[in-house]
Amino acid sequence: MNNLTIPEKYSRHWPAISIASAVLTVLFWVAYMVTTDTLAEGYFRFAAFCFFALSLLSFFKVRDGRIKINLSLSEDGGLELDYFSRGKQIAQDTFDLNRFESVETVSMPNRTLYNDFATDDRTVRFKKKDSDEWLYLAEVNGRVIPLDHINANKVADFLRLHLDKAD
């Protein structure tokens, strides 16, 4: 087995979140426009802004879709990762598997507020033989791709199997 395809962890609730937050944005903006109470006006304006930001960010998530990662191994120990979204290739990474020292499944790096809420997301990271630094395997545009437990373990086992063969 020299190929493995896995999907990004992606919630089916993103479209509903996008629509609901857009509706709440409009409702709070209307409430802001019709209220005469200064304090309530500030609260409504702030809520409208928060829901607008949420609707915009969730819309981008829906628009980008779920990323699928295709891992391919070559005979000479090369590892190629192809990233697809909506049927189109969006990125590609190449690694030398012979330079990997170890591979492990870990929690997502805590780079955003979202990671404080979604604590069950996993990713795979590796350490090269000539370095003490751990690097994340699946990264697109600086964003580490979240995986569920099962897929993260599949990737780690897939790589460990081929690391053992290389030794």
Side-chain angles (χ1 to χ4, degrees):
M1 180 167 103
N2 288 335
N3 289 329
L4 177 67
T5 301
I6 54 161
E8 168 188 22
K9 183 177 178 189
Y10 186 84
S11 175
R12 60 183 166 83
H13 300 295
W14 283 116
I17 292 170
S18 182
I19 292 168
S21 58
V23 168
L24 288 170
T25 298
V26 171
L27 291 176
F28 279 114
W29 182 78
V30 168
Y32 156 70
M33 294 302 284
V34 296
T35 190
T36 57
D37 182 20
T38 306
L39 185 60
E41 187 177 283
Y43 288 138
F44 290 145
R45 190 175 189 178
F46 178 69
F49 171 75
C50 290
F51 282 111
F52 173 73
L54 180 62
S55 66
L56 196 62
L57 294 174
S58 58
F59 168 75
F60 288 141
K61 186 70 175 168
V62 170
R63 185 196 66 181
D64 291 344
R66 173 183 269 183
I67 294 176
K68 290 188 180 178
I69 306 166
N70 184 26
L71 292 90
S72 302
L73 289 171
S74 63
E75 296 297 323
D76 62 348
L79 172 66
E80 187 174 294
L81 277 77
D82 296 309
Y83 304 94
F84 295 92
S85 178
R86 302 204 182 267
K88 293 193 299 189
Q89 185 172 0
I90 58 171
Q92 183 178 34
D93 283 329
T94 305
F95 298 99
D96 184 5
L97 198 57
N98 297 321
R99 298 190 61 209
F100 283 21
E101 182 176 316
S102 60
V103 175
E104 67 181 13
T105 302
V106 294
S107 297
M108 290 288 292
N110 195 357
R111 296 181 182 166
T112 64
L113 182 63
Y114 176 77
N115 295 120
D116 292 329
F117 297 110
T119 57
D120 59 336
D121 291 354
R122 295 286 177 258
T123 190
V124 177
R125 67 180 187 171
F126 64 93
K127 183 165 61 166
K128 291 185 177 181
K129 291 180 180 175
D130 57 351
S131 174
D132 287 335
E133 181 182 9
W134 287 92
L135 303 170
Y136 293 101
L137 185 68
E139 225 175 316
V140 175
N141 298 329
R143 180 176 76 93
V144 178
I145 305 299
L147 305 172
D148 60 20
H149 286 281
I150 295 168
N151 286 328
N153 288 330
K154 277 184 190 177
V155 171
D157 292 342
F158 176 77
L159 294 175
R160 282 188 202 111
L161 176 70
H162 294 285
L163 281 176
D164 292 341
K165 286 181 182 177
D167 290 340

